[in-house]
Amino acid sequence: MTKILVVEDEAKIARFVELELTHEGYEVDKVDNGRDAVDVALSNDYDLILLDILLPQLNGMEVLRRIRREKDVPVILLTARDAVMDKVAGLDAGADDYITKPFAIEELLARIRVALKRREVSQPVAEPATPAVAPQPAHHILAAKGVQLDVERHEVLVEGEPVELTNREFEVLKALLENLNIVMSRERLAQLACGYDFVGETNIIDVYIRHLRSKIDDRYGIKLISTVRGVGYVIREG
Ligand code: CA
C-alpha cells in the first residue's frame, strides 16, 4: 500500500486531505508541526510527503532540508499563493513539486500520481555488472560567449573561472546553451529544467534567469542571455 505523510498544521485542511487520500486508497499519517515531521519522516518509509511550508516549531523548508539529507522520498510542497521565492527555494532544496493553496483536490491527486510515477521510473533497474576498467566518459561541453558548461562534471566556467550555480540554474543555462539562437519559451525551459511534467507556474523561470544574469552577465560584464519580449529567452551567438 502506498504510504503518504501529510504535514499540515491547519487541522481542517489536514483532515480533508487525509479523507480524500484514504478514499483514493492511500495509507495516510499526519503530523501538525515541523519537528514531528522530521522525526516521523526519518523513522518511517513513506512513498511521498505532502509538506506545508508555514509550520510551527520548524518551517517546511528546514524540514525538507533535514529529510533530504537522509532520504530521497518525493516531497510536494504546499505553498501560499504567489510565494514565488518559496517555490524556487523549495525546488532548489529538493522538493519534487509544489501546489498552491487553496488547491482543488483533483489537482493534488494528479500531482501525487505524477510524483509517484516519476519516482518509479527513476528507480534503478538491475545494475549491469561493473566492468573491470570503467570507460572514461567523454566530456560534453557546451560553450558560448566565454561561458563553458561541462555537462558530466556539472561545472560552469566563465572566462576560465568556476561559477557556482544551483541545480535549476544549471539546467536552465544548459537548456539555453543546447539551443543556441533558438528562442525558448518559459514553458519549454520549465519542462527542460524542472521535468517534462512540470505543471507549476512558469514565472519561476524569470527568477532563475535573474539569478543567472547576476552571477554571469553582471559579474563578467557580458550579455549572455537575451529576453525576447512576450516569447522567452535566448543565447545568441554567431
Ligand atoms: Ca500552515
Side-chain angles (χ1 to χ4, degrees), residues 32-47:
D32 62 3
N33 69 76
R35 278 191 200 287
D36 287 353
V38 174
D39 288 348
V40 172
L42 293 184
S43 53
N44 292 275
D45 278 325
Y46 290 100
D47 296 290

Side-chain angles (χ1 to χ4, degrees), residues 8-10 52 54 101:
E8 169 62 81
D9 58 317
E10 285 162 77
D52 184 27
L54 289 176
K101 293 199 275 188

Side-chain angles (χ1 to χ4, degrees), residues 7-153:
V7 185
E8 169 62 81
D9 58 317
E10 285 162 77
K12 268 167 78 176
I13 298 181
R15 180 78 189 125
F16 167 68
V17 170
E18 179 188 31
L19 282 172
E20 293 288 341
L21 294 183
T22 307
H23 182 75
E24 288 295 309
Y26 297 115
E27 190 181 329
V28 177
D29 287 340
K30 58 184 184 0
V31 292
D32 62 3
N33 69 76
R35 278 191 200 287
D36 287 353
V38 174
D39 288 348
V40 172
L42 293 184
S43 53
N44 292 275
D45 278 325
Y46 290 100
D47 296 290
L48 184 132
I49 298 175
L50 289 179
L51 178 60
D52 184 27
I53 292 200
L54 289 176
L55 288 169
Q57 295 182 34
L58 210 59
N59 75 48
M61 296 298 301
E62 188 51 35
V63 172
L64 175 61
R65 278 186 209 105
R66 294 190 190 188
I67 292 174
R68 269 291 164 270
R69 268 183 231 147
E70 297 188 32
K71 293 213 168 191
D72 200 26
V73 53
V75 174
I76 299 179
L77 295 176
L78 307 175
T79 72
R81 183 179 291 278
D82 296 331
V84 173
M85 287 318 294
D86 274 358
K87 292 164 192 167
V88 172
L91 293 171
D92 280 340
D96 292 73
D97 197 359
Y98 57 82
I99 187 163
T100 307
K101 293 199 275 188
F103 48 79
I105 194 71
E106 293 74 21
E107 195 190 353
L108 178 65
L109 293 173
R111 301 284 186 97
I112 289 174
R113 283 192 293 270
V114 168
L116 289 170
K117 205 162 129 214
R118 187 180 341 175
R119 202 48 67 117
E120 244 166 57
V121 170
S122 69
Q123 290 297 333
V125 196
E127 295 257 335
T130 316
V133 180
Q136 283 294 325
H139 274 201
H140 181 195
I141 297 196
L142 303 168
K145 297 190 168 177
V147 176
Q148 289 190 312
L149 181 148
D150 186 323
V151 178
E152 281 76 24
R153 285 194 178 158

Side-chain angles (χ1 to χ4, degrees), residues 177-197:
L177 286 169
E178 278 174 336
N179 295 278
L180 282 183
N181 299 315
I182 299 171
V183 180
M184 304 289 282
S185 68
R186 290 175 179 77
E187 289 72 21
R188 186 79 188 112
L189 286 172
Q191 284 169 358
L192 292 171
C194 310
Y196 274 89
D197 35 23

